Amino acid sequence: MSDIQIVDAPAGVEGSGFFATSLDKAIGLARANSLWPLPFATSCCGIEFMATMGSHYDLSRFGAERLSFSPRQADLLMVMGTISKKMAPVLRQVYLQMAEPRWVMAVGACASSGGIFDTYSVLQGIDEVIPVDVYVPGCPPRPEAIIDGFMGIQHLVKTETLRRRNEPKYQELLAKYGIQ
């Protein structure tokens, strides 16, 4: 018995020699399985991310073959670890340099809520400066949790419409963060 799971084709009309579906679903499937993550790692969660990229867990199986260390070439910002208030403007600038569509994943307790560092110098969650799509709990989270969060991003990417970024609700969310 094989553990290999084949990706389901998007819903559509199938026939002898052809397959028809909506453009939204085809593009969503392509985007979801070719994400280029930008790891923004500052502490122990970054070490767990390194394990996730290693051969035992291999995040590349999910379409994240190429890590991008340039914001202009990435579409998924993975923030891992403690973010100080001095680093918040840098994180925001990296986010703003990413092209649309872009997604954000907060990995670990520190990126999600400040973790155990309830001090004046630590940002109490990156959602104070940029919008977050998926939160991965743990201190530090296991590689399985990071993969689960990545699969959550893939589901979001696969199911969102092409026009979501132009909808008033999304524009209102960005306006809350002072992003045009």
Side-chain angles (χ1 to χ4, degrees):
M1 185 165 153
S2 176
D3 290 334
I4 297 174
Q5 295 179 354
I6 308 258
V7 175
D8 294 329
V13 179
E14 202 170 340
S16 177
F18 75 93
F19 180 80
T21 186
S22 70
L23 186 62
D24 281 6
K25 291 178 183 169
I27 289 177
L29 185 66
R31 280 182 179 168
N33 293 300
S34 62
L35 290 170
W36 285 7
L38 186 153
F40 194 94
T42 60
S43 45
C44 49
C45 290
I47 304 299
E48 290 297 319
F49 177 71
M50 289 178 208
T52 306
M53 290 304 296
S55 61
H56 187 72
Y57 294 101
D58 194 17
L59 193 63
S60 300
R61 295 176 295 154
F62 300 95
E65 184 68 43
R66 182 189 178 277
L67 293 181
S68 178
F69 295 97
S70 166
R72 290 180 176 86
Q73 296 175 350
D75 48 16
L76 170 62
L77 178 60
M78 298 175 73
V79 182
M80 299 165 269
T82 310
I83 304 297
S84 67
K85 289 187 179 174
K86 282 187 175 183
M87 184 145 341
V90 175
L91 176 64
R92 181 181 169 84
Q93 181 177 3
V94 167
Y95 175 79
L96 292 174
Q97 287 177 347
M98 293 172 66
E100 285 283 358
R102 57 187 172 211
W103 297 274
V104 178
M105 189 163 101
V107 179
C110 292
S112 299
S113 66
I116 59 170
F117 306 106
D118 190 11
T119 64
Y120 70 94
S121 62
V122 174
L123 196 64
Q124 299 302 301
I126 63 167
D127 54 1
E128 291 184 8
V129 290
I130 59 174
V132 176
D133 296 300
V134 171
Y135 295 90
V136 177
C139 184
R142 297 266 311 134
E144 294 91 345
I146 295 174
I147 289 173
D148 186 59
F150 187 82
M151 288 170 56
I153 290 282
Q154 282 184 315
H155 178 72
L156 176 70
V157 172
K158 198 180 299 183
T159 57
E160 81 174 10
T161 65
L162 294 178
R163 305 249 184 241
R164 174 184 168 235
R165 307 285 167 159
N166 298 328
E167 292 175 0
K169 184 177 177 182
Y170 186 75
Q171 295 299 323
E172 183 181 321
L173 172 70
L174 290 181
K176 287 181 185 176
Y177 290 96
I179 301 170
Q180 287 81 14

